[in-house]
Structures are given as C-alpha cells and as structure tokens.
Amino acid sequence: LSRSGGRLELTWANKDMRLLTHGADTYEWVDPHDWRVSEVRLLEHLDIVGDAGSGNLLVEGDALHALTSLTSLPGLAEHYLGQVKLCYIDPPFNTGQTFQHYDDAVEHSVWLTMLRDRLAQVRRLLRPDGSVWVHLDDAEQHRARCVLDEVFGAENFVATVVWEKADSPRNSARHLSVDQDYIHVYAQDKTTWRPNRLPRTEAGDAIYKNPDDDPRGPWLPGDPFAGKPYSLGSYEVVGPTGRRFTPPAGRFWRVSLERLQELDADNRVWWGPNGDARPSIKRYLSEVGDLVPRTLWRHSEVGSNRTSSAEVRRLFDGAVSFSTPKPEALIERVLRVGTNPGDLVLDCFAGSGSTAAVAHKMGRRWVTVEVLSETLSTFIRPRLEQVVAGTDSGGVTAVAEWSGGGGFDVARVAPSMFEEDEGNVFLAEWAVGGALADAVRAQLGFTPAGPAPFVGEKGRARLAVVDGMATEGVVRLLVDQLPESTTLTIVAQALEPGLEDLVRELRPGSRVRKVPRDLATTGQLGSRLVRLGAKEPA
Ligand SMILES: C[S@@+](CC[C@H](N)C(=O)[O-])C[C@H]1O[C@@H](n2cnc3c(N)ncnc32)[C@H](O)[C@@H]1O
C-alpha cells in the first residue's frame, strides 16, 4: 500500500497503463490513449431469439469493449448508461490453475488492471440506487477489495457475503479445506441503497418456540440489554421469585423500568421456566417481518459447487461440462436482495450464462457479455434459448414459477475500424460509406441525425463524413447547407491543403479531422505482450 495524495491505495506494476485483450489468454500493456484500448467499438446486431424488443442483450466480446460501447454509443447509452440496478460478476479468479475453458494464471498486476478498468465502466452503467456484487475466492479477494474501494469509494462498501461453496470438506486438501468463496457488495451510493428483505423460511421459523403456551403463538427470547448508553437503562428489577437483576457492566436495559413492567403485565416478559432467570423480552413470530439479508450463505440454502455442476450437466445432457458455473439459487438470492421485477441486471463475465438465465426467470431485464465465442455458442445461447422456450425445468424455474417467454438480442463487439501494418494505421476494409459514418460517430460521440449530407449532431455541431478526399468544393457545399448558428465537423480520409483554415473562416468554431490520423492515437509507451500462464521476468 502506498500513500498518494493523502489517500491509501494499492499500487501495482503498470497501474497507469491499460490492457489490450488478445482473445481470452493474452493481454498487452498499452498507453491509455492508444486507439486499440480507447476506441469505442460498434456493436453488430446478429440475431433475435424469441420476442423482439425485450431489452435483453447477449454480447460476444471483451467486457471492456462491450461496456464502453454500452456507455458511449448513441442509441445504446440512452438505455444503459446509469440504468443498471445490479451488476454481478464472477471474473476469472487468478488461481493459477488452467481451466478447460479459460486460462486463469494471470499475473497479479494484469488481473488487477483488468478488473479495475471493467469496474470503472460498470460504475458508469449503474443507477444511483444500484449495487455491484463481485464474486471471488482467496486468490485475489483481498486485493480486489482495495480496487473496489478505489473505484466505488470505501464508504460505499456494504458487506462481504461468504458463500459456503463446498457441501463436504475436501479431505485431499494439503492444509485446510477451503469451503467458501466471497462476494464483495458495494453500493453506487450506500446512503440511498436499500436492499430487499428476504422471505421467511420454515427452517428459520422453526427456532421460535412456545414453552408457556402463549396465545400469541411461538416466540424467541430477545436480549433485554444493549451496549448503547440509555439514560433510563440503569436500574435494578426484581423477578417473580424475588431475585434481583441489573445490566452487566457497560450494558443497559433496552427499555425503561416502567416499560418493562407494562410488558410483564402483558405476559411479554419471560423469566425462565422456573421464574428465576434474567428477564427476556419475547419476540413473536407473528410480529416479525421478512428477514434482513445476512452475510453467511449456506450451501443448504443457496446450493454448492456440486449443485451448479449438476445444473449445467443436466442442461447440456452430460455431454460437455463448464468448469466454474455458479448455482442458480445463489444468483437468485443476489437478485432478490438487490433488484425488483423489471430492473436491469448486468454480468460481463457470463461463463455458462447463469446470471442471465436466473434474471430472465425472475422477470428482470439483463445484459450479459462473454469473450469466448465457443463458450457463448456451447453454453450461454443454448441455455438462454431453453429458458425462453420454457424447456429448462432445473435451477430456480419452479421457485420463480417460470414457464417460458420473452426473448433476447444477440450482438457482437465489432472489429476495430482501424488496422495496423508495420506501425502504420489504416482504415479497416469494412469502414466505408455508412459503416464509416457509424464508426466515426461512435468515436466522436455524435448522435445519428440528418438531413443529408450531415450524418450526426452533438449540441450545436453537425457532422459530415467524407469517404475519400475533402476538397475546397466539398467544404463550400457543406457549409452552404449548414443550418444557421451551427458548426461543422468534417471527417475525411484525405484533406486538400489549407482546408482547416478555410472551414474555420467560413463557419467559426468548425473543424476538419483526418481519419485515421486524428482518430487513432498511438501510444507513446513501448508495448509488451503478456501471455497468461507465463510469469513476467523478475
Ligand atoms: C468464472 S467464469 C463465470 C461463470 C459464471 N458466473 C457461471 O455461473 O457460469 C468467468 C467467465 O468470464 C469469461 N471472461 C474472461 N475474461 C473476459 C473478458 N475480458 N470479457 C468477457 N468475458 C471474459 C471467461 O471466458 C469465463 O467464461
């Protein structure tokens, strides 16, 4: 930990740099301004499954690109920026093991940078009353807390849920059998975040008893003392058998003597089976509401690793398995605490697609992202198709009373609009005509707007994209058609000399930009490839 600007922060190698993802197993350190990490990618719409217009979205691509597109692309940002009620992520844990479907042995600094950059985008997507739930194991959970503090503010840390993932001890463990994972919960703003209470359970109710046949029904003996100083809370009380009671040192009666006597007259005070125990104030089952969510989540309530493996085996007929699925009941509890029907749920490390599947069954809207196309086509899409068709009878289907319906869109993070060859940056072959205009709008934050020849607007500025060389004639033609009191941004592949001055003279405040030169900033720092699984040189 190092102190910077008076704040305590976790620091790591290359913390000020960004990571470029190559597939799922190789990252490259690059300058934050490098176009390869700063470019806003388009999302290509591929398909609709079930009903159109559901608002549910399955995206293939790196989480960072996908989240940046959702926060920045006109047409998407309106629906997603500041709209997500809950984000649950279960990123690769960095456990040093090689999993069948992704490689997990990332250098700590790579892992922390990867997490930090994606959390920063998640934060932009969250509603002011939203929350983020980050599922981790011992490998990184302590470091991740520091990163979460940095991104969301330490004051917004809510709690860490401990999930009992093992339903029996691992007797093969060399030291101790580690039976739990952690879910760090942060609110976007803890002062306004209000979690839902959980419905009562039979097991929870069974601890209420009725040893004195109280007509009000079963009750629990409540602690009569509190640690908080209370001016009327220091007195001596005499019980039915004449025994005298005072609070232990440093504690106080919760109620005044007068109130205790009133409660006793109403048979709401319990003095033990023989009338000589210290008084407790009865808490009746009939008077307690739903349960406040607790932080210890037992496998008997929300399932274990074995439960989720069985869920995935059942969904995919035992043919293939996914290494790290999470139980539907676990996700159901997260969503029950943090969302209401109709709310938008995000998971940008989809895996087998459990978050989207549970959100769908619970009547929440969802967005989920997965980088590996094979994982998407083998697990996520078929699973969600079954949910829509109502043919997935496992997991929380019965609890959620789900019988099918709804739908989702399938999209893919588009390839970059730029290509690089021997250090030179070119426009990609696909970036022509309308596609070039789409890509330019995305980079410069313009919303689509006509009329032709203009293709976008941002405040008072109008955008024109020239697929080729901008000449003096083209510029004069564009300015002629420009509405009063607007400015012009022209983006072209080549510019005649002197055009920048001309356009500023014709319409002050206007500008000309050359693509790719002005849109693709190349990083100043040397880049270094880091392949997952390989240790960095000491
Ligand atoms: C631990 S698994 C998630 C399991 C999931 N919660 C479930 O219940 O099935 C992590 C997933 O994140 C994916 N992933 C890794 N890096 C990613 C990235 N940069 N963007 C999107 N997905 C990524 C992995 O391919 C893997 O499928």
Side-chain angles (χ1 to χ4, degrees):
L1 291 173
S2 80
R3 281 193 170 274
S4 80
R7 284 170 69 105
L8 206 57
E9 70 167 273
L10 178 68
T11 189
W12 60 82
N14 293 334
K15 187 172 179 185
D16 54 354
M17 290 174 78
R18 295 286 178 273
L19 278 172
L20 185 64
T21 314
H22 295 284
D25 70 351
T26 307
Y27 290 94
E28 182 181 352
W29 291 109
V30 293
D31 182 280
H33 304 294
D34 191 299
W35 60 271
R36 291 169 299 167
V37 284
S38 61
E39 181 186 2
V40 179
R41 298 283 193 88
L42 295 171
L43 286 190
E44 258 173 71
H45 189 262
L46 299 179
D47 210 353
I48 299 175
V49 174
D51 298 344
S54 62
N56 301 322
L57 184 60
L58 167 59
V59 184
E60 178 188 326
D62 170 42
L64 187 62
H65 283 138
L67 299 181
T68 306
S69 303
L70 296 178
T71 54
S72 314
L73 281 181
L76 287 176
E78 299 90 278
H79 300 288
Y80 295 104
L81 195 64
Q83 307 284 326
V84 170
K85 184 69 184 287
L86 182 144
C87 171
Y88 166 86
I89 53 169
D90 170 22
F93 286 173
N94 204 11
T95 51
Q97 299 167 25
T98 302
F99 285 82
Q100 197 182 341
H101 293 280
Y102 61 84
D103 196 331
D104 212 24
V106 197
E107 192 64 24
H108 293 302
S109 53
V110 173
W111 192 89
L112 291 166
T113 305
M114 183 278 291
L115 185 73
R116 188 246 348 246
D117 292 350
R118 283 151 189 79
L119 286 174
Q121 294 298 354
V122 165
R123 177 149 190 253
R124 302 189 60 213
L125 291 164
L126 277 189
R127 283 163 53 122
D129 59 354
S131 58
V132 58
W133 300 58
V134 182
H135 188 137
L136 296 165
D137 73 356
D138 279 312
E140 295 287 355
Q141 62 94 4
H142 55 310
R143 279 179 282 266
R145 266 294 301 276
C146 297
V147 175
L148 279 155
D149 278 355
E150 208 171 301
V151 176
F152 289 92
E155 67 282 9
N156 289 316
F157 170 69
V158 174
T160 296
V161 168
V162 174
W163 169 47
E164 190 184 18
K165 64 182 173 185
D167 50 18
S168 57
R170 274 200 311 137
N171 285 325
S172 58
R174 213 163 142 214
H175 302 111
L176 304 182
S177 166
V178 176
D179 297 342
Q180 81 270 16
D181 273 356
Y182 310 89
I183 308 177
H184 294 318
V185 186
Y186 279 71
Q188 178 81 311
D189 174 2
K190 196 168 128 189
T191 57
T192 55
W193 186 64
R194 294 286 166 267
N196 292 324
R197 298 203 160 221
L198 292 170
R200 310 197 55 80
T201 60
E202 264 178 44
D205 289 355
I207 60 170
Y208 286 78
K209 305 278 182 229
N210 195 353
D212 60 347
D213 282 332
D214 190 318
R216 297 181 195 91
W219 49 268
L220 271 184
D223 185 353
F225 307 122
K228 213 167 128 205
Y230 171 43
S231 61
L232 301 178
S234 303
Y235 52 83
E236 186 181 76
V237 68
V238 183
T241 60
R243 248 188 101 178
R244 293 167 180 275
F245 301 94
T246 48
R251 310 205 75 204
F252 302 84
W253 295 104
R254 273 177 198 280
V255 293
S256 64
L257 179 60
E258 195 185 348
R259 179 73 186 134
L260 189 74
Q261 285 164 344
E262 271 171 30
L263 291 169
D264 195 22
D266 197 21
N267 188 29
R268 285 172 178 263
V269 175
W270 172 245
W271 299 91
N274 306 320
D276 59 355
R278 72 125 166 84
S280 352
I281 301 170
K282 294 181 187 174
R283 279 170 32 216
Y284 293 94
L285 178 58
S286 58
E287 290 174 3
V288 290
D290 286 346
L291 302 169
V292 68
R294 301 173 72 181
T295 50
L296 191 56
W297 294 11
R298 299 283 187 183
H299 73 78
S300 52
E301 295 164 14
V302 295
S304 65
N305 270 337
R306 201 196 301 263
T307 318
S308 41
S309 296
E311 280 171 3
V312 171
R313 269 201 308 278
R314 176 187 163 135
L315 275 165
F316 301 103
D317 223 8
V320 273
S321 68
F322 183 80
S323 327
T324 55
K326 300 299 172 288
E328 289 205 2
L330 175 78
I331 311 288
E332 196 249 5
R333 180 168 292 182
V334 170
L335 299 190
R336 202 181 261 282
V337 172
T339 65
N340 293 310
D343 283 343
L344 182 60
V345 173
L346 167 70
D347 180 352
C348 54
F349 295 91
S352 67
S354 43
T355 308
V358 173
H360 200 104
K361 293 178 188 178
M362 292 175 72
R364 275 65 169 165
R365 293 171 300 128
W366 53 264
V367 184
T368 198
V369 183
E370 169 60 46
V371 74
L372 293 183
S373 63
E374 195 197 335
T375 300
L376 191 141
S377 58
T378 312
F379 299 103
I380 310 172
R381 184 167 173 165
R383 179 179 195 164
L384 295 170
E385 282 172 348
Q386 288 193 44
V387 172
V388 168
T391 53
D392 160 22
S393 56
V396 299
T397 295
V399 177
E401 298 177 3
W402 177 250
S403 56
F408 59 94
D409 289 80
V410 186
R412 176 167 57 205
V413 172
S416 170
M417 70 185 285
F418 306 115
E419 278 168 7
E420 196 172 343
D421 188 24
E422 295 185 356
N424 296 314
V425 182
F426 303 96
L427 271 182
E429 255 176 49
W430 63 265
V432 287
L436 177 62
D438 287 346
V440 168
R441 268 198 304 261
Q443 298 323 303
L444 300 180
F446 277 79
T447 34
F454 305 108
V455 293
E457 70 180 7
K458 184 162 74 174
R460 284 177 48 234
R462 297 288 176 276
L463 175 71
V465 177
V466 181
D467 193 354
M469 155 111 57
T471 59
E472 181 180 337
V474 169
V475 169
R476 288 190 183 277
L477 204 90
L478 287 169
V479 174
D480 272 355
Q481 299 183 50
L482 199 59
E484 286 285 307
S485 71
T486 57
T487 61
L488 179 61
T489 299
I490 302 177
V491 176
Q493 289 182 48
L495 307 175
E496 256 181 17
L499 274 196
E500 313 210 1
D501 292 340
L502 175 70
V503 75
R504 249 182 263 127
E505 193 181 300
L506 292 174
R507 186 60 67 91
S510 296
R511 60 212 296 215
V512 183
R513 304 184 85 175
K514 190 173 161 188
V515 62
R517 184 194 67 191
D518 299 337
L519 269 60
T521 330
T522 321
Q524 300 299 309
L525 303 172
S527 314
R528 210 150 46 98
L529 275 183
V530 182
R531 198 167 288 280
L532 301 189
K535 288 271 176 223
E536 286 191 43

